[in-house]
């Protein structure tokens, strides 16, 4: 059997760690190599992510290596351009898409031209600003669009952005032509997302949800605001040129009609556009609630051990019953319940008395060689690993285990299906719940691994306006705390005390 | 407050936790993958002849079966061939040929009956009804049938007006059809074109207005454009995604395992060891072979494990690492020899032989799990053109089963020896396979199913089929 004792492992690590270099997951290196090299290069394993990469090193450090497949990084950055009359959901789509792409690891940012206009024209007076014959208004709007495009260029070319979402009406072919030319000049791919909707009820609801609260209408009453906004829409209607099947047949786009009832998809160029189309076709705006919670307290939780597949402690069982009652009291129509394939989540769901579906993808993060250890034991056997984890908890992969970054990959189909669903309760685990929560609440990779997801607490998420409302419901059954904050000292040479400073108490 | 506590037991094969007493809550057999369909779904093809309906039907069916959704194609042309003695000419398809019309309708009805039987008696979940279905009347018949029986319907219409594509389709799959056996090529093409004309007269495409309550996808010109209407559920959403990712551009897919590893040599499974000296030789030879193929724009994919990366390093071209391509996780059996597994876990060893596809290693994975995690790889392989995948035995078996339409029972026993490249070329309705052994010796890692799979068998019987090693 291989020698996998912790001591040997750590020694091997020391030999390859020069400094705790966090390898950027964005590195795409195309190396030049002579085409008939016979001897394969030596490989070394990056200590943080456990990725095998070739030496020779430059300056003693492992060479920045060729891409790690998470999402296929298109070679050129992509510019997504929204198209549509006001109150058609463009900003809703922009923000949601941006949130999704960032979560799966594609650096994305939205650029809302209306925002630029608000910064330029300090005070909004009325819809007259948007009249097509308002020369001065047109000039300002044109400038704002240019300013936004300039920032787009900076983001994609200089700041490592991969996707930029250009959120504006872009309702004329002329405006879209300008943007396409801009993209071509800079080597960006363009993908249009048009939202077409004629249902007056949907439009009125949109106005109520997101326009009335806009900075443009802070000093107006509801009726005035509604009236003005409708006149604003009219200003755009006459010059609106929808994407045309014939005239625009060489453009890449998706046309979303009637809030997702129908889609027209044209000339999808690459992987990222294909993923974007799939995502847009799965989201909906039907009101619903998502309940997230962890399994009840488990026997291993009580001992302070991570991972494993233990059953519920007596308090955990109590929680399960309370959860069942809570769910009943919520009187949710058509509730779906999902669990992982680990005993503790299934035991919890059993008490809810609703049929449930088991997902292997919802299993807790695999701690590899550290499975079922207490933090004290990890510090004792793998002090280097323990320190690396504190240095970059998102990217850190347990030896023979997983990282949070891996988790996000495996949870992506769960998120996709969550988007399709309506009322749903997900009974899962700490690391999993952090990943899901980060998606709904738009948390960064840095924040994600430290989100607080205590036992015996249900989070009720309700999509509202451009985001998500969160209610936290503690079901009043005591449980151990399993949240370990990042300690101050993350250095590999720190003392045991420093390392264990933030470990929560346990038996 | 009810203190009802259900005891859970872990199903020994798939390691799924299920309630011991029959709980109404857990409807399906301890399902290791989420089940998404309640009602069976009928996929109904629509389109003139030579628009790729059968190509799409077969490919979609292969994909759905691979991801675990029992699916079957019902090709009405086949029923017609069985009903009529022999094909004479396009005249059979003339819209004014009353007698032929009767036969053709009867064939459609017969096929629908079989769809019913497939759902009711064979636990099918998706049936692909492959026919032209070009008239409103015919589609109405199908819609009524589905409504009566509680089936969901999803239409797939393929529209194409590019004469080159149509000519190529005719060449690829029509000339070799039983209808034209013994015909001269030009005659066959001429007849077939007249056949298409017969349908054109009465062809009514799915209409955006009139058919707005139906669920469908319209595919224009082999995928340059799609119109998607009213996707009802998860499976339809997956089908749409799949259809939007496939293409027909000619290309090659090369599948190979890593070179022989140090653990391979000593008969151990799993682990993350490096290449043996012979494995290194293979890596070089692979480089030579790939260069000799002069492949345009080749993408190379590996897993995150040392042995595939070392193998790819020998190619001298950029490669991408996919964690999803990692070898099956053997859990507690990682790095053991089969002899040791028999020694320490004789019951597990037997269970695995009883159902190798569904068997999950304790704290590990099953082939069924592998397929789930490889699905994004397959989706991306469909998008790509020329690709070389350097992977592992179990992973390669899963990928191969997808391309060659192998069942769950066959999949875990597909032969994927070391140092052998499989070159797959999509052709007509399937895939051509060429096997290229790069002439460097390696251990055999293929263990056949032994005769005795009983948990009480003798160790010798269990180890009967273990290949030789150091």
């Amino acid at each position: 059997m291989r020698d996998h004792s912790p001591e040997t492992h750590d020694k091997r690590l020391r030999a390859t760690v020069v400094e705790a270099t966090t390898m950027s997951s964005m590195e795409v290196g195309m190396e030049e190599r002579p085409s008939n090299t016979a001897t394969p290069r030596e490989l070394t394993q990056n200590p943080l992510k456990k990725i095998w990469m070739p030496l020779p090193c430059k300056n003693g450090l492992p060479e920045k290596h060729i891409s790690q497949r998470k999402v296929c990084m298109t070679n050129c950055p992509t510019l997504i351009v929204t198209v549509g009359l006001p109150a058609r959901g463009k900003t809703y789509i922009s923000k949601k898409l941006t949130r999704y792409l960032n979560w799966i690891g594609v650096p994305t940012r939205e650029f809302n031209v209306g925002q630029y206009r608000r910064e330029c024209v300090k005070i909004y007076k009325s819809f007259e600003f948007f009249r097509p014959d308002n020369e001065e208004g047109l000039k300002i709007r044109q400038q704002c669009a240019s300013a936004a495009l300039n920032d787009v260029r900076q983001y994609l070319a200089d700041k490592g952005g991969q996707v930029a979402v250009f959120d504006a009406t872009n309702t004329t072919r002329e405006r879209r032509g300008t943007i396409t030319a801009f993209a071509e000049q800079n080597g960006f791919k363009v993908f249009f997302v048009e939202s077409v909707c004629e249902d007056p009820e949907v439009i009125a609801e949109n106005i109520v949800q997101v326009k009335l609260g806009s900075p443009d209408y802070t000093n107006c009453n509801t009726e005035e605001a509604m009236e003005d906004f409708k006149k604003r829409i009219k200003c755009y209607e006459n010059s609106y040129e929808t994407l045309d099947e014939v005239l625009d047949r060489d453009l890449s786009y998706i046309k979303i009609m009637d809030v997702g009832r129908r889609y027209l998809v044209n000339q999808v160029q690459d992987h990222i556009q294909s993923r974007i189309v799939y995502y847009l076709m799965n989201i909906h705006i039907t009101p619903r609630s998502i309940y997230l919670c962890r399994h009840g307290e488990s026997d291993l939780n009580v001992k302070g051990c991570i991972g494993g597949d233990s059953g519920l402690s007596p308090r955990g069982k109590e929680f399960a019953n309370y959860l069942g009652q809570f769910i009943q009291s919520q009187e949710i129509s058509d509730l779906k319940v999902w669990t992982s394939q680990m005993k503790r989540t299934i035991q919890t769901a059993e008490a809810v008395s609703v049929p449930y579906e088991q997902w292997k993808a919802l299993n807790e993060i695999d701690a590899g060689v550290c499975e079922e250890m207490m933090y004290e034991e990890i510090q004792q056997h793998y002090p280097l690993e323990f320190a690396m984890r504190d240095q970059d908890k998102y990217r850190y992969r347990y030896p023979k285990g997983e990282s949070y970054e891996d988790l996000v990959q495996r949870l992506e189909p769960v998120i996709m299906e969550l988007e399709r669903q309506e009322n749903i309760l997900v009974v899962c685990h700490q690391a999993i719940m952090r990943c899901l929560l980060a998606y709904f609440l738009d948390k960064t990779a840095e924040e994600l691994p430290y989100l607080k997801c205590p036992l015996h607490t249900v989070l009720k998420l309700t999509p509202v306006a451009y985001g998500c409302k969160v209610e936290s419901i503690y079901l009043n059954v005591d449980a151990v705390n399993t949240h370990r904050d990042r300690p101050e000292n993350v250095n590999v040479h720190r003392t045991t005390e420093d390392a264990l400073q933030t470990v929560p108490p346990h038996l | 407050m009810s203190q009802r506590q259900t005891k859970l037991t872990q199903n020994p094969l798939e390691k799924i936790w299920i309630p011991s007493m029959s709980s109404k809550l857990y409807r399906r057999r301890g399902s290791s993958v989420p089940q998404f369909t309640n009602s069976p779904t009928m996929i109904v093809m629509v389109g003139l002849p030579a628009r790729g309906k059968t190509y799409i039907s077969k490919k979609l069916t292969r994909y759905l079966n691979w991801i675990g959704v029992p699916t079957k194609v019902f090709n009405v042309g086949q029923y017609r061939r069985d009903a009529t003695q022999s094909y004479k000419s396009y005249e059979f398809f003339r819209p004014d040929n009353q007698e032929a019309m009767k036969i053709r309708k009867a064939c459609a009805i017969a096929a629908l009956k079989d769809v019913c039987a497939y759902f009711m008696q064979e636990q099918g979940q998706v049936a692909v009804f492959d026919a032209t279905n070009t008239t409103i009347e015919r589609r109405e018949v199908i819609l009524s049938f589905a409504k009566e029986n509680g089936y969901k319907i999803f239409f797939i219409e393929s529209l194409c007006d590019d004469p080159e594509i149509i000519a190529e389709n005719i060449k690829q799959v029509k000339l070799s059809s039983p209808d034209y056996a013994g015909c001269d090529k030009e005659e066959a093409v001429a007849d077939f074109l007249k056949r298409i004309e017969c349908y054109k007269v009465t062809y009514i495409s799915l209409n955006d207005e009139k058919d707005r309550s139906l669920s469908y996808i319209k595919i224009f010109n082999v995928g340059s454009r799609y119109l998607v209407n009213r996707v009802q559920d998860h499976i339809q959403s997956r089908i749409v995604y799949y259809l939007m990712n496939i293409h027909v551009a000619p290309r090659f897919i090369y599948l190979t395992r890593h070179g022989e590893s140090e653990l391979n040599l000593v008969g151990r499974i799993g682990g993350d060891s490096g290449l043996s000296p012979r494995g290194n030789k293979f890596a070089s030879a692979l480089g030579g072979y790939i260069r000799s193929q002069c492949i345009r724009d080749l993408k190379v994919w590996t897993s995150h494990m040392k042995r595939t990366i070392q193998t790819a390093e020998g190619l001298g071209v950029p490669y991408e690492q996919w964690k999803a391509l990692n070898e099956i996780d053997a859990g507690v059996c990682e790095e053991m020899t089969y002899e040791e597994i028999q020694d320490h876990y004789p019951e597990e060893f037997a269970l695995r032989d009883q159902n190798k596809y569904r068997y999950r290693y304790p704290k590990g994975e099953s082939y069924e799990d592998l397929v789930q995690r490889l699905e994004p790889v397959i989706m991306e392989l469909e998008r790509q053109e020329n690709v070389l995948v350097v992977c592992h035995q179990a992973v390669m078996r899963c990928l191969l089963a997808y391309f060659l339409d192998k069942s769950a029972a066959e999949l875990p026993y597909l032969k994927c020896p070391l140092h052998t490249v499989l070159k797959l070329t999509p052709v007509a309705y399937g895939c051509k396979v060429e096997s290229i052994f790069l002439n460097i010796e390696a251990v055999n890692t293929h263990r056949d199913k032994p005769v005795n799979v009983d948990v009480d068998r003798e160790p010798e019987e269990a180890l009967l089929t273990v290949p030789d090693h150091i």
Side-chain angles (χ1 to χ4, degrees), chain A residues 1-2 4 29-31 33-43 45 49-55 65-73 245-246 249 253 257 260-271 274-275 277-278 281-282 308-309 317-318 320-322 325 338 341-344 346-347 349-360 363 366 371-372 397 400-402 406 409 413 417 420-421, chain B residues 1-6 8 10 14-19 23-28 31-36 208-209 212 216 220 223-234 237-238 240-241 244-245 262-263 268 271-275 280 283-284 291 301 304-307 309-311 313-324 326 329 334-336 340 360 363-366 369 372 376 380 383-384:
Chain A
M1 287 282 270
R2 290 264 132 161
H4 281 298
M30 297 299 177
E31 304 152 36
R33 297 198 62 217
S35 55
N36 48 7
T37 325
T39 40
R41 296 177 285 186
E42 280 282 306
L43 295 183
Q45 196 175 38
K49 295 172 73 168
K50 313 300 186 290
I51 304 281
W52 288 102
M53 311 169 307
L55 300 165
H65 189 57
I66 306 187
S67 57
Q68 306 302 321
R69 159 71 62 149
K70 289 182 308 153
V71 180
C72 173
M73 304 306 180
E245 273 178 37
V246 179
R249 66 178 168 283
Y253 65 85
M257 294 168 270
R261 198 139 298 167
R262 193 151 88 226
Y263 305 91
L264 188 65
V265 180
N266 197 65
Q267 305 278 15
V268 171
Q269 297 172 55
D270 59 20
H271 175 96
S274 164
R275 292 284 286 274
V277 165
Y278 185 41
M281 286 176 46
N282 280 316
D309 193 16
K317 289 182 182 155
E318 217 187 315
N321 286 324
Y322 276 57
Q325 286 168 27
W338 292 353
Q341 289 190 342
M342 296 181 142
K343 192 175 183 182
R344 51 200 189 276
I346 298 166
Q347 274 184 308
E350 277 286 320
V352 177
S353 295
V354 179
Y356 55 87
E357 199 79 65
Q358 295 187 16
W359 287 73
K360 187 167 193 277
N363 279 4
D366 183 356
E371 275 286 316
E372 301 196 41
R397 188 184 279 170
K400 301 191 168 185
E402 295 178 298
D406 293 329
Q409 264 249 294
E417 191 54 26
R420 291 196 56 80
Q421 292 291 337
Chain B
M1 174 181 26
S2 67
Q3 286 288 340
R4 184 181 56 91
Q5 304 291 350
T6 333
L8 296 182
Q10 197 176 37
E14 296 142 304
K15 312 300 187 288
I16 303 283
W17 289 103
I18 42 180
S23 163
K24 284 190 282 273
L25 298 179
Y26 205 57
R27 289 178 294 204
R28 291 165 265 274
S31 174
S32 50
V33 291
Q35 307 291 302
F36 290 110
D208 291 346
E209 260 312 297
R212 66 179 169 283
Y216 63 84
F220 297 89
S224 64
R225 193 160 84 242
Y226 305 91
L227 183 67
V228 180
N229 197 63
R230 289 199 182 254
V231 171
Q232 298 174 51
D233 61 17
H234 175 97
S237 164
R238 292 283 287 274
V240 166
Y241 185 41
M244 287 174 45
N245 280 315
E262 283 161 17
L263 284 179
R268 295 184 178 280
D272 193 16
S273 63
L275 298 181
N280 270 312
S284 303
R291 278 186 291 278
W301 296 351
H304 275 198
M305 295 180 144
K306 191 172 182 185
R307 51 200 187 275
I309 298 166
Q310 277 183 312
T311 307
E313 277 285 317
L315 300 172
V317 294
Y319 55 87
E320 255 185 280
Q321 297 186 16
W322 289 70
K323 189 169 193 273
N326 278 5
D329 183 357
E334 275 286 317
E335 300 194 40
M336 287 189 170
E340 286 169 344
R360 187 183 277 172
K363 303 192 172 182
E365 294 177 303
S366 62
D369 295 327
Q372 273 255 297
E380 190 55 22
R383 291 196 56 81
Q384 291 289 340

Side-chain angles (χ1 to χ4, degrees), chain A residues 361-373:
Chain A
L362 286 171
N363 279 4
E364 182 57 316
I365 191 171
D366 183 356
V369 301
C370 298
E371 275 286 316
E372 301 196 41
M373 285 190 173

Side-chain angles (χ1 to χ4, degrees), chain B residues 291-353:
Chain B
R291 278 186 291 278
S292 75
Q293 290 276 296
C294 295
I295 308 150
R296 191 177 56 84
D297 275 333
L298 178 71
K299 297 268 161 62
V300 178
W301 296 351
T302 69
S303 70
H304 275 198
M305 295 180 144
K306 191 172 182 185
R307 51 200 187 275
T308 57
I309 298 166
Q310 277 183 312
T311 307
E313 277 285 317
L315 300 172
V317 294
Y319 55 87
E320 255 185 280
Q321 297 186 16
W322 289 70
K323 189 169 193 273
L325 286 171
N326 278 5
E327 182 56 314
I328 191 171
D329 183 357
V332 300
C333 298
E334 275 286 317
E335 300 194 40
M336 287 189 170
T337 60
Y338 288 120
E339 291 84 349
E340 286 169 344
I341 300 177
Q342 168 59 27
D343 205 17
H344 293 110
Y345 304 102
E347 205 180 296
E348 293 291 329
F349 204 40
L351 283 173
R352 185 157 209 254
D353 284 335

Side-chain angles (χ1 to χ4, degrees), chain A residues 199-252:
Chain A
D199 185 337
E201 274 182 44
V202 174
I203 296 166
E205 182 61 25
N206 285 358
I207 298 178
V208 163
Q209 280 245 351
V210 295
K211 299 298 178 187
L212 300 186
S214 148
D216 291 346
Y217 295 112
T218 32
N219 296 317
C220 293
N221 74 42
T222 310
E223 267 126 41
E224 280 171 13
M226 194 56 115
E227 269 316 298
D228 184 273
F229 198 83
K230 288 194 178 149
K231 293 206 186 97
R232 203 153 113 179
I233 298 178
K234 276 255 170 306
C235 295
Y236 284 90
E237 270 174 8
N238 286 337
S239 56
Y240 182 19
E241 294 168 293
T242 185
L243 286 169
D244 184 81
E245 273 178 37
V246 179
L247 292 173
D248 297 308
R249 66 178 168 283
D250 291 328
L251 299 181
S252 298

Side-chain angles (χ1 to χ4, degrees), chain A residues 8-269:
Chain A
T8 327
H9 170 93
D10 259 17
K11 279 206 201 96
R12 258 185 261 137
L13 248 196
R14 245 176 262 272
T16 53
V17 171
V18 175
E19 52 189 74
T21 343
T22 305
M23 299 300 290
S24 162
S25 52
M26 279 289 294
E27 301 299 341
V28 178
M30 297 299 177
E31 304 152 36
E32 298 303 316
R33 297 198 62 217
S35 55
N36 48 7
T37 325
T39 40
R41 296 177 285 186
E42 280 282 306
L43 295 183
T44 183
Q45 196 175 38
N46 155 295
L48 181 76
K49 295 172 73 168
K50 313 300 186 290
I51 304 281
W52 288 102
M53 311 169 307
L55 300 165
C57 326
K58 299 185 168 127
N59 321 313
L61 288 172
E63 214 170 276
K64 284 192 175 165
H65 189 57
I66 306 187
S67 57
Q68 306 302 321
R69 159 71 62 149
K70 289 182 308 153
V71 180
C72 173
M73 304 306 180
T74 51
N75 317 332
C76 343
T78 302
L79 178 59
I80 298 179
V81 181
T82 62
V83 179
L85 293 172
R88 262 58 175 182
K90 296 184 301 298
T91 301
Y92 175 82
I93 290 170
S94 300
K95 287 182 181 264
K96 208 169 157 78
L97 188 55
T98 299
R99 178 161 57 87
Y100 168 70
L101 290 173
N102 277 313
W103 186 76
I104 61 171
V106 181
T108 306
R109 194 184 290 176
E110 26 137 11
F111 297 82
N112 178 291
V113 176
Q115 206 40 54
Y116 284 73
R117 187 259 308 157
R118 271 183 278 276
E119 264 146 50
C120 190
V121 180
K122 296 301 161 192
I123 301 173
Y124 175 75
K125 292 202 183 62
S126 81
F127 78 94
E128 308 258 357
F129 181 83
F130 292 96
R131 285 179 56 157
D133 53 1
N134 181 340
E135 294 275 358
E136 203 190 304
L138 280 171
K139 224 169 49 158
I140 295 175
R141 288 156 71 193
Q142 171 77 346
Q143 280 169 0
C144 289
S146 301
L149 281 180
N150 210 15
D151 287 351
V152 162
R153 184 211 331 261
Q154 263 204 334
Y155 177 65
L156 294 180
D158 304 331
K159 295 193 184 157
Q162 191 68 34
V163 176
V165 184
F166 190 70
D167 177 18
T169 49
N170 298 315
T171 39
T172 61
R173 193 155 282 118
E174 190 211 344
R175 168 59 57 86
R176 297 195 290 267
T178 311
I179 298 170
T180 311
F182 160 85
E184 231 159 274
Q185 254 170 32
N186 289 285
F188 305 152
K189 286 185 184 177
V190 185
F191 187 74
F192 293 95
V193 177
E194 179 171 19
S195 173
V196 177
C197 179
E198 290 316 316
D199 185 337
E201 274 182 44
V202 174
I203 296 166
E205 182 61 25
N206 285 358
I207 298 178
V208 163
Q209 280 245 351
V210 295
K211 299 298 178 187
L212 300 186
S214 148
D216 291 346
Y217 295 112
T218 32
N219 296 317
C220 293
N221 74 42
T222 310
E223 267 126 41
E224 280 171 13
M226 194 56 115
E227 269 316 298
D228 184 273
F229 198 83
K230 288 194 178 149
K231 293 206 186 97
R232 203 153 113 179
I233 298 178
K234 276 255 170 306
C235 295
Y236 284 90
E237 270 174 8
N238 286 337
S239 56
Y240 182 19
E241 294 168 293
T242 185
L243 286 169
D244 184 81
E245 273 178 37
V246 179
L247 292 173
D248 297 308
R249 66 178 168 283
D250 291 328
L251 299 181
S252 298
Y253 65 85
I254 178 171
K255 200 188 261 205
I256 305 171
M257 294 168 270
D258 293 320
V259 205
R261 198 139 298 167
R262 193 151 88 226
Y263 305 91
L264 188 65
V265 180
N266 197 65
Q267 305 278 15
V268 171
Q269 297 172 55

Side-chain angles (χ1 to χ4, degrees), chain A residues 404-422:
Chain A
Y404 272 94
E405 194 170 33
D406 293 329
L407 273 195
V408 163
Q409 264 249 294
R410 85 162 142 90
L411 284 169
E412 201 265 349
V414 177
I415 285 294
M416 197 62 89
E417 191 54 26
L418 271 171
E419 285 294 345
R420 291 196 56 80
Q421 292 291 337
E422 295 189 13

